[in-house]
mmCIF file of all heavy atoms in Angstrom:
data_model
loop_
_atom_site.group_PDB
_atom_site.id
_atom_site.type_symbol
_atom_site.label_atom_id
_atom_site.label_comp_id
_atom_site.label_asym_id
_atom_site.label_seq_id
_atom_site.Cartn_x
_atom_site.Cartn_y
_atom_site.Cartn_z
ATOM 1 N N SER A 12 -30.091 -7.363 22.869
ATOM 2 C CA SER A 12 -29.050 -8.383 23.015
ATOM 3 C C SER A 12 -27.670 -7.775 22.699
ATOM 4 O O SER A 12 -26.686 -8.075 23.355
ATOM 5 C CB SER A 12 -29.334 -9.558 22.107
ATOM 6 O OG SER A 12 -29.145 -9.221 20.743
ATOM 7 N N SER A 15 -26.541 -5.788 25.490
ATOM 8 C CA SER A 15 -26.052 -6.566 26.599
ATOM 9 C C SER A 15 -24.522 -6.802 26.482
ATOM 10 O O SER A 15 -23.828 -6.872 27.488
ATOM 11 C CB SER A 15 -26.767 -7.909 26.672
ATOM 12 O OG SER A 15 -26.407 -8.779 25.585
ATOM 13 N N ILE A 16 -24.027 -6.915 25.259
ATOM 14 C CA ILE A 16 -22.584 -7.056 25.046
ATOM 15 C C ILE A 16 -21.880 -5.755 25.417
ATOM 16 O O ILE A 16 -20.851 -5.793 26.119
ATOM 17 C CB ILE A 16 -22.285 -7.447 23.592
ATOM 18 C CG1 ILE A 16 -22.863 -8.846 23.301
ATOM 19 C CG2 ILE A 16 -20.776 -7.419 23.317
ATOM 20 C CD1 ILE A 16 -22.681 -9.285 21.849
ATOM 21 N N VAL A 19 -21.771 -5.452 29.315
ATOM 22 C CA VAL A 19 -20.749 -6.232 30.062
ATOM 23 C C VAL A 19 -19.353 -5.640 29.794
ATOM 24 O O VAL A 19 -18.473 -5.726 30.678
ATOM 25 C CB VAL A 19 -20.813 -7.741 29.703
ATOM 26 C CG1 VAL A 19 -22.131 -8.329 30.187
ATOM 27 C CG2 VAL A 19 -20.587 -7.991 28.241
ATOM 28 N N ALA A 71 -14.040 -11.302 35.064
ATOM 29 C CA ALA A 71 -15.019 -11.952 34.195
ATOM 30 C C ALA A 71 -16.253 -12.407 34.976
ATOM 31 O O ALA A 71 -17.378 -12.414 34.452
ATOM 32 C CB ALA A 71 -14.384 -13.123 33.466
ATOM 33 N N MET A 74 -18.505 -9.509 35.366
ATOM 34 C CA MET A 74 -19.155 -9.268 34.070
ATOM 35 C C MET A 74 -20.316 -10.268 33.896
ATOM 36 O O MET A 74 -21.412 -9.863 33.453
ATOM 37 C CB MET A 74 -18.133 -9.477 32.931
ATOM 38 C CG MET A 74 -17.049 -8.429 32.846
ATOM 39 S SD MET A 74 -15.781 -8.873 31.655
ATOM 40 C CE MET A 74 -16.719 -8.940 30.116
ATOM 41 N N LEU A 75 -20.088 -11.519 34.265
ATOM 42 C CA LEU A 75 -21.136 -12.532 34.114
ATOM 43 C C LEU A 75 -22.348 -12.221 35.001
ATOM 44 O O LEU A 75 -23.510 -12.335 34.580
ATOM 45 C CB LEU A 75 -20.574 -13.919 34.438
ATOM 46 C CG LEU A 75 -21.473 -15.122 34.180
ATOM 47 C CD1 LEU A 75 -21.791 -15.259 32.705
ATOM 48 C CD2 LEU A 75 -20.806 -16.388 34.706
ATOM 49 N N LEU A 76 -22.059 -11.838 36.243
ATOM 50 C CA LEU A 76 -23.135 -11.493 37.157
ATOM 51 C C LEU A 76 -23.965 -10.316 36.627
ATOM 52 O O LEU A 76 -25.186 -10.352 36.621
ATOM 53 C CB LEU A 76 -22.554 -11.180 38.534
ATOM 54 C CG LEU A 76 -23.535 -10.641 39.598
ATOM 55 C CD1 LEU A 76 -24.599 -11.680 39.902
ATOM 56 C CD2 LEU A 76 -22.786 -10.210 40.862
ATOM 57 N N GLY A 78 -24.128 -9.259 33.576
ATOM 58 C CA GLY A 78 -24.828 -9.652 32.370
ATOM 59 C C GLY A 78 -26.114 -10.397 32.668
ATOM 60 O O GLY A 78 -27.143 -10.197 31.996
ATOM 61 N N GLY A 79 -26.083 -11.210 33.712
ATOM 62 C CA GLY A 79 -27.283 -11.924 34.125
ATOM 63 C C GLY A 79 -28.337 -10.973 34.663
ATOM 64 O O GLY A 79 -29.541 -11.129 34.392
ATOM 65 N N TRP A 94 -34.389 -15.255 25.382
ATOM 66 C CA TRP A 94 -33.021 -15.626 25.713
ATOM 67 C C TRP A 94 -32.014 -14.607 25.202
ATOM 68 O O TRP A 94 -30.852 -14.557 25.682
ATOM 69 C CB TRP A 94 -32.684 -16.994 25.128
ATOM 70 C CG TRP A 94 -32.904 -17.038 23.635
ATOM 71 C CD1 TRP A 94 -34.056 -17.328 22.964
ATOM 72 C CD2 TRP A 94 -31.958 -16.758 22.608
ATOM 73 N NE1 TRP A 94 -33.893 -17.240 21.623
ATOM 74 C CE2 TRP A 94 -32.594 -16.878 21.359
ATOM 75 C CE3 TRP A 94 -30.581 -16.374 22.630
ATOM 76 C CZ2 TRP A 94 -31.938 -16.662 20.153
ATOM 77 C CZ3 TRP A 94 -29.939 -16.165 21.428
ATOM 78 C CH2 TRP A 94 -30.624 -16.315 20.225
ATOM 79 N N LEU A 95 -32.412 -13.774 24.261
ATOM 80 C CA LEU A 95 -31.442 -12.855 23.640
ATOM 81 C C LEU A 95 -30.814 -11.845 24.584
ATOM 82 O O LEU A 95 -29.610 -11.527 24.448
ATOM 83 C CB LEU A 95 -32.153 -12.104 22.482
ATOM 84 C CG LEU A 95 -32.347 -12.895 21.193
ATOM 85 C CD1 LEU A 95 -33.174 -12.111 20.207
ATOM 86 C CD2 LEU A 95 -31.020 -13.256 20.585
ATOM 87 N N PRO A 96 -31.512 -11.311 25.587
ATOM 88 C CA PRO A 96 -30.838 -10.373 26.503
ATOM 89 C C PRO A 96 -29.682 -11.005 27.294
ATOM 90 O O PRO A 96 -28.907 -10.279 27.914
ATOM 91 C CB PRO A 96 -31.959 -9.928 27.428
ATOM 92 C CG PRO A 96 -33.190 -10.173 26.675
ATOM 93 C CD PRO A 96 -32.969 -11.379 25.855
ATOM 94 N N PHE A 97 -29.601 -12.368 27.269
ATOM 95 C CA PHE A 97 -28.515 -13.042 27.970
ATOM 96 C C PHE A 97 -27.331 -13.289 27.061
ATOM 97 O O PHE A 97 -26.404 -14.033 27.445
ATOM 98 C CB PHE A 97 -29.027 -14.362 28.570
ATOM 99 C CG PHE A 97 -30.036 -14.178 29.676
ATOM 100 C CD1 PHE A 97 -31.388 -14.207 29.385
ATOM 101 C CD2 PHE A 97 -29.645 -13.943 30.984
ATOM 102 C CE1 PHE A 97 -32.333 -14.035 30.412
ATOM 103 C CE2 PHE A 97 -30.557 -13.764 31.985
ATOM 104 C CZ PHE A 97 -31.902 -13.809 31.719
ATOM 105 N N LEU A 98 -27.324 -12.667 25.887
ATOM 106 C CA LEU A 98 -26.203 -12.840 24.980
ATOM 107 C C LEU A 98 -24.903 -12.307 25.601
ATOM 108 O O LEU A 98 -23.810 -12.835 25.354
ATOM 109 C CB LEU A 98 -26.481 -12.103 23.655
ATOM 110 C CG LEU A 98 -25.431 -12.291 22.551
ATOM 111 C CD1 LEU A 98 -25.332 -13.758 22.143
ATOM 112 C CD2 LEU A 98 -25.794 -11.417 21.343
ATOM 113 N N GLY A 99 -25.025 -11.250 26.413
ATOM 114 C CA GLY A 99 -23.855 -10.728 27.076
ATOM 115 C C GLY A 99 -23.228 -11.760 28.009
ATOM 116 O O GLY A 99 -22.002 -11.786 28.190
ATOM 117 N N CYS A 100 -24.051 -12.639 28.620
ATOM 118 C CA CYS A 100 -23.527 -13.681 29.467
ATOM 119 C C CYS A 100 -22.737 -14.685 28.640
ATOM 120 O O CYS A 100 -21.645 -15.122 29.023
ATOM 121 C CB CYS A 100 -24.679 -14.394 30.188
ATOM 122 S SG CYS A 100 -25.516 -13.361 31.443
ATOM 123 N N ALA A 101 -23.301 -15.093 27.501
ATOM 124 C CA ALA A 101 -22.588 -16.020 26.630
ATOM 125 C C ALA A 101 -21.261 -15.422 26.145
ATOM 126 O O ALA A 101 -20.235 -16.118 26.084
ATOM 127 C CB ALA A 101 -23.478 -16.389 25.450
ATOM 128 N N TYR A 102 -21.316 -14.149 25.833
ATOM 129 C CA TYR A 102 -20.092 -13.419 25.407
ATOM 130 C C TYR A 102 -19.057 -13.440 26.526
ATOM 131 O O TYR A 102 -17.876 -13.650 26.308
ATOM 132 C CB TYR A 102 -20.528 -12.015 25.023
ATOM 133 C CG TYR A 102 -19.390 -11.060 24.719
ATOM 134 C CD1 TYR A 102 -18.780 -11.062 23.455
ATOM 135 C CD2 TYR A 102 -18.991 -10.101 25.644
ATOM 136 C CE1 TYR A 102 -17.784 -10.149 23.163
ATOM 137 C CE2 TYR A 102 -18.004 -9.189 25.335
ATOM 138 C CZ TYR A 102 -17.379 -9.211 24.108
ATOM 139 O OH TYR A 102 -16.405 -8.309 23.811
ATOM 140 N N THR A 103 -19.512 -13.232 27.753
ATOM 141 C CA THR A 103 -18.603 -13.186 28.911
ATOM 142 C C THR A 103 -17.985 -14.531 29.182
ATOM 143 O O THR A 103 -16.830 -14.614 29.640
ATOM 144 C CB THR A 103 -19.353 -12.673 30.155
ATOM 145 O OG1 THR A 103 -19.852 -11.351 29.894
ATOM 146 C CG2 THR A 103 -18.430 -12.628 31.368
ATOM 147 N N LEU A 104 -18.708 -15.600 28.934
ATOM 148 C CA LEU A 104 -18.160 -16.937 29.179
ATOM 149 C C LEU A 104 -16.907 -17.198 28.374
ATOM 150 O O LEU A 104 -16.070 -18.011 28.771
ATOM 151 C CB LEU A 104 -19.241 -17.987 28.878
ATOM 152 C CG LEU A 104 -20.393 -18.090 29.894
ATOM 153 C CD1 LEU A 104 -21.451 -19.039 29.400
ATOM 154 C CD2 LEU A 104 -19.854 -18.522 31.266
ATOM 155 N N ILE A 105 -16.788 -16.530 27.213
ATOM 156 C CA ILE A 105 -15.558 -16.676 26.419
ATOM 157 C C ILE A 105 -14.368 -16.163 27.229
ATOM 158 O O ILE A 105 -13.313 -16.823 27.283
ATOM 159 C CB ILE A 105 -15.700 -15.904 25.082
ATOM 160 C CG1 ILE A 105 -16.837 -16.469 24.261
ATOM 161 C CG2 ILE A 105 -14.392 -15.929 24.314
ATOM 162 C CD1 ILE A 105 -17.159 -15.658 23.040
ATOM 163 N N PHE A 106 -14.508 -15.003 27.874
ATOM 164 C CA PHE A 106 -13.427 -14.425 28.654
ATOM 165 C C PHE A 106 -13.189 -15.232 29.930
ATOM 166 O O PHE A 106 -12.035 -15.424 30.314
ATOM 167 C CB PHE A 106 -13.755 -12.968 28.996
ATOM 168 C CG PHE A 106 -13.890 -12.094 27.789
ATOM 169 C CD1 PHE A 106 -15.123 -11.715 27.309
ATOM 170 C CD2 PHE A 106 -12.755 -11.641 27.121
ATOM 171 C CE1 PHE A 106 -15.254 -10.913 26.198
ATOM 172 C CE2 PHE A 106 -12.865 -10.831 26.004
ATOM 173 C CZ PHE A 106 -14.109 -10.466 25.537
ATOM 174 N N LEU A 107 -14.278 -15.658 30.568
ATOM 175 C CA LEU A 107 -14.113 -16.439 31.796
ATOM 176 C C LEU A 107 -13.436 -17.779 31.503
ATOM 177 O O LEU A 107 -12.526 -18.199 32.225
ATOM 178 C CB LEU A 107 -15.483 -16.660 32.450
ATOM 179 C CG LEU A 107 -15.506 -17.462 33.763
ATOM 180 C CD1 LEU A 107 -14.630 -16.774 34.818
ATOM 181 C CD2 LEU A 107 -16.930 -17.638 34.272
ATOM 182 N N GLY A 108 -13.889 -18.446 30.431
ATOM 183 C CA GLY A 108 -13.250 -19.687 30.064
ATOM 184 C C GLY A 108 -11.785 -19.524 29.706
ATOM 185 O O GLY A 108 -10.951 -20.370 30.097
ATOM 186 N N GLY A 109 -11.468 -18.443 29.023
ATOM 187 C CA GLY A 109 -10.066 -18.213 28.680
ATOM 188 C C GLY A 109 -9.217 -17.956 29.883
ATOM 189 O O GLY A 109 -8.084 -18.428 29.978
#
Side-chain angles (χ1 to χ4, degrees):
S12 70
S15 71
I16 295 177
V19 295
M74 292 170 64
L75 186 64
L76 173 63
W94 56 273
L95 283 174
F97 293 95
L98 185 61
C100 292
Y102 173 80
T103 301
L104 287 173
I105 298 173
F106 298 102
L107 181 59

